[in-house]
Amino acid sequence: MRVGVAGVGRMGAAIAAHLIDAGHAVTVWNRAPEKTRPLADAGAKVASSPAELAGEVEAVVTILTNREALAAVYEGPSGLLTGDAKGKLFIEMSTVQPRDEVALAEKVRAKGGIFVECPVGGTVGPARQGKLLGVAGAAKEDFARAKPLLDQMCRRVEHVGRVGAGASLKLALNLPLLVYYQALAEAYVLCRHLKLDNKWLMEFLSDTSGGPNVLKNRGPAIAAALDGNDPGTANFDIDMIRKDLATMLAEAKASGATLPLVEKALSIYDDASREGWGKRDGAWLPAYWPGRAQR
Ligand SMILES: NC(=O)c1ccc[n+]([C@@H]2O[C@H](COP(=O)([O-])OP(=O)(O)OC[C@H]3O[C@@H](n4cnc5c(N)ncnc54)[C@H](OP(=O)(O)O)[C@@H]3O)[C@@H](O)[C@H]2O)c1
């Protein structure tokens, strides 16, 4: 299939590389053009604008920072929707508010396109291996059209309702993880005087009732951060986490709800960012608070 990926940041690049491996004819575009180079080397065609990309493919995948990025890439002067959108499938995977996906779906449909939102759980590694967790919102027939491609990108895809439903569930599934990083920091404050091996401690906590999946996947990286060592590449960094938490708060506010844990967690991530931790992976966060807890 001819597939375009408009926006090849960390997630978009990993998805595009996987789609190339899966045998698709992939065209890519990115605002900062240098990020397309490794994909061009791997066989992707590089478009000079989103509009040109839309003209060359049957399906377009987007996974972008936020609402502003979506507006620029879809509706900008040479955006996807100024190209030929008729009959084309748009799979939108960014983490944004449901209302942003609903508004975008209307614009895509007005141009004759088919719109499926499918935000994802899982980070760069799973994206590169086609093992994301997808939560799709779409009309039934539109989801059916997107399903074969989604199945190649995801280890599991759930169709959870109409456009907007996927965004709601995506925000919900990220919330406990992002709050957990701070909960773990506070748990560590209570037991650090024992001077246990941090790698062992993460493994042990993962075997307890309060231990989430992230400890199994990221325990060694968190232990490295607690030891003061670099846990490796930042795939989901503290600034991107702040964007997700702020999106959760905006979504709750729109429905008249409050999220006190999210508010507090965001204020701590904000502090960490102000102190220069913004580009560090979230796995660093459990190491942030212990250094400040005695103030
Ligand atoms: N990282 C993860 O583990 C992860 C996991 C699941 C979901 N997500 C979600 O996936 C999305 C992308 O995350 P990421 O980690 O891949 O972020 P990223 O590496 O920062 O990439 C963001 C992409 O958006 C583009 N972009 C931002 N503002 C733009 C604008 N105004 N105009 C055009 N393009 C713009 C960037 O272009 P430039 O390169 O030119 O800046 C880049 O292609 C976010 O919504 C995030 O919440 C991330």
Side-chain angles (χ1 to χ4, degrees):
M1 192 174 185
R2 285 177 288 119
V3 186
V5 182
V8 287
R10 285 168 292 207
M11 293 296 283
I15 288 170
H18 175 68
L19 291 172
I20 294 168
D21 286 353
H24 295 286
V26 173
T27 302
V28 294
W29 170 86
N30 198 64
R31 178 180 63 173
E34 65 275 8
K35 291 189 189 167
T36 61
R37 236 167 266 144
L39 293 160
D41 292 344
K45 201 167 167 183
V46 179
S48 61
S49 68
E52 185 185 305
L53 177 141
E56 301 213 346
V57 300
E58 298 152 85
V60 177
V61 174
T62 51
I63 182 157
L64 302 161
T65 310
N66 51 20
R67 173 196 303 145
E68 290 72 26
L70 286 178
V73 173
Y74 278 82
E75 301 169 68
S78 46
L80 290 167
L81 297 181
T82 64
D84 177 16
K86 211 167 166 50
K88 290 187 181 168
L89 174 63
F90 291 82
I91 299 180
E92 208 308 285
M93 304 178 113
S94 316
T95 303
V96 291
Q97 278 186 257
R99 60 177 60 185
D100 299 325
E101 299 289 9
V102 172
L104 185 57
E106 279 167 18
K107 286 168 188 155
V108 169
R109 284 191 207 111
K111 294 280 182 178
I114 292 158
F115 188 87
V116 172
E117 60 151 357
C118 189
V120 289
T123 182
V124 174
R128 184 64 186 85
Q129 293 158 9
K131 291 193 173 157
L132 292 164
L133 180 65
V135 280
K140 208 171 162 195
E141 61 279 14
D142 296 345
F143 177 69
R145 175 153 167 198
K147 182 86 172 19
L149 208 45
L150 292 174
D151 279 341
Q152 288 186 320
M153 295 187 268
C154 302
R155 67 176 168 82
R156 176 173 179 178
V157 186
E158 297 289 345
H159 183 203
V160 294
R162 291 180 352 184
V163 171
S168 294
L169 191 56
K170 163 67 198 190
L171 292 175
L173 72 84
N174 258 21
L175 190 158
L177 166 66
L178 304 185
V179 170
Y180 178 75
Y181 277 138
Q182 174 61 13
L184 180 60
E186 294 182 23
Y188 185 71
V189 167
L190 294 180
C191 67
R192 64 179 161 180
H193 65 282
L194 302 176
K195 300 194 187 314
L196 298 164
D197 176 71
N198 285 326
K199 217 167 158 189
W200 175 87
L201 181 61
M202 293 306 111
E203 184 281 317
F204 177 71
L205 291 177
S206 77
D207 196 22
T208 67
S209 303
N213 284 329
V214 70
L215 279 184
K216 297 188 186 88
N217 301 329
R218 302 286 286 146
I222 297 168
L226 289 170
D227 287 339
N229 298 323
D230 187 345
T233 319
N235 288 328
F236 189 22
D237 66 39
I238 283 173
D239 283 342
M240 191 64 89
I241 289 173
R242 291 168 60 225
K243 184 270 299 183
D244 278 16
L245 291 168
T247 307
M248 290 168 202
L249 289 178
E251 187 55 17
K253 192 174 171 199
S255 68
T258 56
L259 305 175
L261 283 175
V262 173
E263 277 175 30
K264 188 63 195 170
L266 177 56
S267 74
I268 293 159
Y269 283 96
D270 283 346
D271 285 348
S273 183
R274 269 193 294 275
E275 291 192 29
W277 290 48
K279 296 300 164 213
R280 295 185 182 190
D281 193 82
W284 273 102
L285 204 269
Y288 173 74
W289 188 251
R292 273 102 192 135
Q294 302 308 128
R295 273 185 210 165

